[in-house]
């Protein structure tokens, strides 16, 4: 069962990678600072490096949210199922939701189903997850708005062509910093879950840090997922929220990188999606005459509100299924159902395919590019 749980955790890490690629590279792809394939390759490599730079967030996930004494391998497997399903559903619709909150919600839901609400460390959940989730997009938006205003102010004597060329070069550096920061934060979450599973199995003592092999495996999984490219989410972030110019992109990426790195240092399980989205909206607010599509932002915010409880419900349901069948065989049943759902979601995505060829197509109000079949685009 431990092997199954580790494989499932790495599968989640993979979905985290392709779901969150847009947080680092959407604006650089949208402005043409980097080609789509080059962008995801660079992001994947830097996510790998970033995974080795900090373990503070991994420690928060492993021991700061639930009572590890109440956690079993069945709980961990069910929690991962909740996180994966939410990631895949939101990816299908091109919604940049939080992989972090999907994972945390899944684990908490499964834990509550197994041991009740007393097994959840509510103070840690509020202080290290919910409060940062509420504050981070606002802070990122304000920083990015100010940065955008300053960049346009400083470069006001330049021609539009010279300004765009210079800031597209600057975007390469700022996008790389976001990718590195993403590795320091998001890769740690799966490390924390695998460490939690190892503690539940008795392989590690309570309070242990992630072993080296766990760090390496998680770094590889998230970097590979990043390289695959979550084109549907990249399209929403790069084209759906704001029509971004290079100075805005550089300001948004710089704000995101600074906030994510700071949160990683303090062990906050921050949603990099919330930060990146807030930064992109802020870049629209900081440029005179820029249009922010608030209807798209509203749909994203609604998804954010439902992420924790929805993933928790799936996690709780997965635990109930596994426990009713029998814990070891039940986990296998849960993973088979998970694989079937993942296959169906992938099949649905082929109907309105988004990839590196059409990710920058004109925004039509939906993640589906204009040349997608009308029936599928409406769905």
């Amino acid at each position: 069962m431990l092997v199954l749980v580790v494989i499932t955790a790495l599968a989640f890490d993979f979905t985290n990678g392709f779901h969150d690629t847009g947080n680092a590279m959407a604006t650089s792809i949208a402005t043409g600072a980097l080609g789509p394939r080059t962008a995801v390759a660079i992001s994947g490599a830097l996510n790998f490096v970033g995974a080795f730079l900090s373990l503070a967030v991994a420690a928060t996930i492993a021991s700061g949210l639930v009572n590890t004494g109440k956690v079993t391998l069945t709980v961990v497997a069910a929690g991962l199922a909740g996180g994966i399903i939410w990631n895949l559903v939101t990816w299908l619709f091109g919604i940049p939701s939080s992989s972090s909150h999907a994972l945390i919600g899944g684990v908490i839901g499964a834990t509550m189903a197994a041991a009740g609400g007393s097994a959840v460390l509510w103070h840690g959940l509020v202080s290290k997850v919910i409060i940062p989730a509420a504050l981070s997009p606002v802070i990122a938006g304000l920083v990015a708005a100010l940065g955008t205003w300053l960049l346009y102010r400083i470069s006001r004597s330049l021609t539009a062509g010279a300004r765009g060329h210079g800031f597209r070069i600057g975007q390469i550096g700022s996008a790389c910093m976001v990718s590195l920061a993403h590795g320091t934060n998001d890769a740690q979450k799966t490390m924390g879950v695998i460490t939690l599973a190892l503690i539940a199995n008795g392989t590690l003592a309570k309070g242990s840090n992630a072993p080296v092999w766990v760090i390496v495996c998680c770094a590889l999984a998230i970097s590979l997922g990043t390289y695959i490219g979550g084109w549907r989410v990249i399209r929403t972030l790069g084209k759906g929220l704001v029509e971004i110019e290079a100075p805005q992109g550089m300001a948004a990426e710089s704000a995101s990188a600074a906030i994510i790195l700071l949160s990683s240092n303090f062990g906050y399980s921050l949603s990099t999606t919330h930060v990146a989205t807030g930064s992109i909206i802020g870049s629209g607010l900081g440029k005179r005459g820029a249009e922010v599509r608030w209807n798209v932002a509203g749909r994203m915010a609604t998804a954010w509100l439902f992420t924790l409880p929805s993933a928790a419900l799936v996690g709780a349901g997965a635990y109930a299924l596994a426990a009713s069948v029998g814990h070891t065989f039940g986990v296998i049943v849960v993973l088979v159902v998970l694989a079937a759902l993942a296959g169906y979601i992938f099949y649905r995505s082929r109907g309105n395919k988004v990839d590196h060829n059409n990710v920058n197509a004109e925004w039509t109000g939906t993640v589906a590019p204009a040349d997608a079949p009308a029936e599928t685009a409406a769905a």
Side-chain angles (χ1 to χ4, degrees):
M1 192 189 289
L2 179 62
V3 172
L4 288 174
V5 169
V6 170
I7 292 172
T8 307
L10 294 176
F12 171 82
D13 208 22
F14 178 83
T15 68
N16 191 345
F18 74 70
H19 198 284
D20 287 7
T21 309
N23 297 345
M25 291 298 176
T27 56
S28 293
I29 292 172
T31 63
L34 288 168
R37 287 313 235 169
T38 302
V40 296
I42 292 173
S43 186
L46 290 172
N47 264 279
F48 180 84
V49 173
F52 292 87
L53 299 183
S54 170
L55 290 178
V57 174
T60 296
I61 298 294
S63 59
L65 300 176
V66 294
N67 183 345
T68 55
K70 303 289 186 180
V71 174
T72 64
L73 291 178
T74 307
V75 167
V76 178
L80 287 165
I84 291 173
I85 290 298
W86 185 256
N87 267 0
L88 292 177
V89 169
T90 50
W91 165 78
L92 176 64
F93 292 103
I95 300 173
S97 70
S98 172
S99 297
S100 312
H101 292 177
L103 175 63
I104 292 167
V107 170
I108 287 175
T111 301
M112 291 179 66
S118 61
V120 178
L121 305 180
W122 296 105
H123 175 74
L125 177 65
V126 171
S127 64
K128 298 229 169 183
V129 177
I130 294 177
I131 291 177
L135 295 180
S136 60
V138 176
I139 295 171
L142 291 173
V143 173
L146 178 60
T148 300
W149 181 83
L150 285 173
L151 290 181
Y152 275 102
R153 181 77 177 171
I154 292 168
S155 62
R156 65 186 182 278
S157 62
L158 299 177
T159 64
R163 179 195 292 131
H165 176 72
F167 282 114
R168 276 194 292 272
I169 295 173
Q171 266 196 282
I172 297 173
S174 59
C176 287
M177 284 303 298
V178 179
S179 294
L180 191 69
H182 185 269
T184 68
N185 200 284
D186 276 49
Q188 308 296 315
K189 292 155 190 172
T190 306
M191 293 179 201
V193 168
I194 295 178
T195 303
L196 189 62
L198 293 170
I199 293 172
N201 193 56
T203 308
L204 292 178
K206 185 177 180 180
S208 297
N209 287 327
V212 173
W213 69 267
V214 172
I215 298 172
V216 173
C217 288
C218 291
L220 285 170
I222 199 168
S223 61
L224 180 59
T226 301
Y227 177 70
I228 293 298
W231 303 111
R232 307 174 80 82
V233 178
I234 290 173
R235 176 165 167 74
T236 300
L237 282 173
K239 302 296 291 185
L241 281 172
V242 180
E243 288 296 332
I244 293 177
E245 295 181 354
Q248 295 167 270
M250 184 174 171
E253 291 161 354
S254 300
S256 295
I259 291 169
I260 295 168
L261 287 171
L262 187 63
S263 73
S264 295
N265 182 62
F266 288 104
Y268 292 128
S269 181
L270 196 68
S271 168
T272 54
T273 301
H274 290 191
V275 173
T277 303
S279 296
I280 291 171
I281 292 174
S283 74
L285 296 175
K287 179 182 181 294
R288 181 179 297 176
E291 176 193 358
V292 178
R293 297 187 181 100
W294 292 108
N295 60 328
V296 177
R299 289 199 298 269
M300 291 166 54
T302 301
W304 294 354
L305 290 175
F306 282 99
T307 297
L308 274 169
S310 297
L313 285 173
V314 176
Y319 178 83
L321 174 61
S324 65
V325 174
H327 290 281
T328 302
F329 187 66
V331 167
I332 296 174
V333 171
V334 166
L335 297 186
V336 168
V337 173
L338 176 63
L341 288 172
Y344 174 73
I345 291 170
F346 179 77
Y347 168 76
R348 281 292 306 274
S349 73
R350 299 300 85 189
N352 55 356
K353 186 177 180 181
V354 180
D355 59 19
H356 64 282
N357 294 310
N358 59 8
V359 68
N360 269 346
E362 192 69 26
W363 184 254
T364 59
T366 172
V367 70
D371 58 352
E375 293 180 16
T376 310

